[in-house]
Amino acid sequence: MKRTISTTDAPDAVGAYSQATTDGSLVFTAGQIPMTSDGDLLDDEPIATQAEQALSNVEAVLAAEGLEMSDVLKVTVFLDDIGDFEAMNDTYASFFDEAPPARSAVEVANLPKGVGVEIEAIATSD
């Protein structure tokens, strides 16, 4: 059975989507942007800071389900400038120190609210 996941430790969903959903085995997070749980948008910050906030949001959503970043199987990173890959990757690596998940990183034309990065994850609760 599909169930939605929500936490006040990450930004509220602003639209017709959930912060995450699960079938009891896999957890799919929505794309997380560099916005604090208080609604402060970090769009003018360097990409490393934006990536850190987006990953912290993913971490908070997973924690609401009792999961950790080590439970992540796959991550997709959307960058508005692939030239920011190295800076994003340095921050990303600090969240996955052992056995990092599979990952895709792609450049896109635009991201919500003009941010530089959006990150989504798939995790397992098994």
Side-chain angles (χ1 to χ4, degrees):
M1 284 285 229
K2 179 178 125 179
R3 181 172 50 80
T4 61
I5 299 166
S6 182
T7 179
T8 58
D9 293 331
D12 289 334
V14 289
Y17 66 92
S18 302
Q19 288 175 324
T21 58
T22 184
D23 66 354
S25 178
L26 294 175
V27 173
F28 297 82
T29 73
Q32 296 295 314
I33 62 173
M35 180 181 286
T36 68
S37 59
D38 294 331
D40 295 328
L41 189 62
L42 306 181
D43 58 326
D44 289 333
E45 295 295 326
I47 200 67
T49 302
Q50 290 190 45
E52 181 177 17
Q53 183 63 56
L55 286 161
S56 293
N57 292 342
V58 168
E59 190 171 45
V61 171
L62 294 175
E65 190 65 12
L67 301 178
E68 299 176 351
M69 295 300 265
S70 60
D71 296 309
V72 174
L73 300 172
K74 171 74 165 71
V75 174
T76 305
V77 178
F78 303 95
L79 293 162
D80 74 346
D81 181 354
I82 201 69
D84 289 332
F85 179 84
E86 189 174 326
M88 176 282 299
N89 193 53
D90 288 345
T91 299
Y92 178 94
S94 70
F95 281 81
F96 300 104
D97 50 350
E98 286 189 34
R103 181 185 71 194
S104 300
V106 296
E107 181 179 68
V108 296
N110 293 295
L111 289 166
K113 300 192 178 285
V115 300
V117 66
E118 181 174 1
I119 301 174
E120 64 183 24
I122 302 169
T124 182
S125 60
D126 287 340

